[in-house]
Amino acid sequence: MKISVYAIPASIDDRDLKERIAVVIDVLRAASTIITALNNGCKEIIPTAEIEEAIMLAKNYEKDSFLLGGERNAVKIDGFDLSNSPYEYTPEAVKGRTVIMTTTNGTQAIRKANDAKEVIIGSFLNAEAVSRYIRHRGDDVVFVCAGTDGKFSLDDILVAGAMIDILEGMNTEMEMDDLALVSLHLYKSYKSNLKKALENAYHYKNLVRAGYEKDVDYCIQLNLFPIIPVYKDGTIRISQNFQG
Ligand code: MLT
């Protein structure tokens, strides 16, 4: 299978996605938060690019059946119920509810991957389940890293590297592009201490400075949730067809 890694969504041409599975990665923190919310019983997540779009969509939902979540500059949006911290997406908060979510980079990347054969959301939290799913499907794969503010973000390629490492461990035949090779090497060099790889990275430092070190520690945990979140028809839900 061909494995490509894109450093930022803007570098992807729609043709790169055709007939491939896209794994969208925004490990700090949108993808990790989405995976946590779904694991905690959230019915579905609707990612939007703009704040206004999220607010308009919310008008279609009954009171108490939905939550507005997300951030701008890592901070909760005025009038929203939840920020982008995975710790806020508890079973008590999200169970049975729709979350309409907008974040600076992550939800944009998900929308950008729309033309892929299938779009799944990945982070360290579900790395093994996603790798098993990819191997099971056997299609070529595009890892779409969300980046930070339009720029490459080290944290996301580490997740791509983790998944490629797991695929390699399963003796998957892979033809990797150069960024896939870099992702794999970087991950292998730091897999016993992921925090060390991140400590000088821009997005990591921003989150720690803003007081979110606990969130970062949470997001770099491997394989907590064996779920496959699939983005289809504008909505992210857990795939019921695969046991990770
Ligand atoms: C994003 O989608 O831009 C990020 O998840 C930002 C954040 O860490 O809150």
Side-chain angles (χ1 to χ4, degrees):
M1 96 186 28
K2 287 197 181 124
I3 307 272
S4 315
V5 178
Y6 287 85
I8 52 168
S11 60
I12 301 180
D13 187 288
D14 288 348
R15 278 171 308 191
D16 301 329
L17 296 165
K18 289 270 174 261
E19 300 311 316
R20 293 180 173 189
I21 294 184
V23 180
V24 181
I25 300 169
D26 182 11
V27 61
L28 302 178
R29 298 164 292 173
S32 304
T33 299
I34 289 168
I35 292 159
T36 302
L38 290 169
N39 187 70
N40 285 344
C42 163
K43 181 177 162 206
E44 59 193 5
I45 293 176
I46 304 181
T48 73
E50 304 299 336
I51 296 172
E52 296 66 31
E53 193 188 345
I55 293 169
M56 285 304 287
L57 258 177
K59 295 193 173 37
N60 301 324
Y61 288 82
E62 300 272 311
K63 191 174 174 289
D64 289 336
S65 71
F66 76 94
L67 295 165
L68 281 164
E71 56 67 43
R72 286 298 179 269
N73 300 320
V75 175
K76 185 166 119 179
I77 298 161
D78 265 354
F80 275 37
D81 304 292
L82 304 171
S83 76
N84 192 29
S85 169
Y87 281 111
E88 291 181 21
Y89 292 69
T90 58
E92 295 70 31
V94 302
K95 204 170 174 77
R97 294 195 161 117
T98 297
V99 174
I100 304 168
M101 188 174 191
T102 181
T103 69
T104 316
N105 310 283
T107 56
Q108 328 281 337
I110 294 166
R111 301 263 297 235
K112 171 81 184 170
N114 194 35
D115 282 337
K117 184 173 180 183
E118 198 169 346
V119 181
I120 57 187
I121 316 301
S123 81
F124 287 123
L125 299 175
N126 66 347
E128 177 152 2
V130 171
S131 307
R132 287 188 184 284
Y133 183 73
I134 289 169
R135 188 175 157 84
H136 163 78
R137 293 295 306 267
D139 292 306
D140 293 339
V141 177
V142 181
F143 289 100
V144 181
C145 297
T148 301
D149 303 332
K151 288 169 84 175
F152 167 71
S153 201
L154 183 77
D155 36 289
D156 293 332
I157 68 159
L158 276 174
V159 175
M163 291 181 187
I164 298 167
D165 185 52
I166 296 166
L167 285 165
E168 194 178 62
M170 293 189 288
N171 296 320
T172 312
E173 223 173 89
M174 290 183 284
E175 195 183 315
M176 292 181 246
D177 72 1
D178 285 8
L179 194 50
L181 288 168
V182 170
S183 307
L184 179 61
H185 287 306
L186 187 72
Y187 176 72
K188 279 183 170 170
S189 310
Y190 286 99
K191 74 198 267 189
S192 59
N193 190 356
L194 290 170
K195 213 164 169 181
K196 182 96 196 125
L198 291 175
E199 67 190 10
N200 290 314
Y202 172 79
H203 192 38
Y204 170 87
K205 285 198 294 191
N206 269 358
L207 285 173
V208 171
R209 246 195 311 260
Y212 299 118
E213 188 163 6
K214 205 169 132 228
D215 284 13
V216 176
D217 288 342
Y218 174 86
C219 294
I220 61 175
Q221 298 176 98
L222 267 163
N223 306 327
L224 285 193
F225 308 129
I227 61 168
I228 312 292
V230 176
Y231 174 63
K232 193 165 181 247
D233 302 329
T235 301
I236 305 168
R237 293 196 180 91
I238 294 180
S239 166
Q240 301 300 339
N241 304 326
F242 183 78
Q243 293 303 315

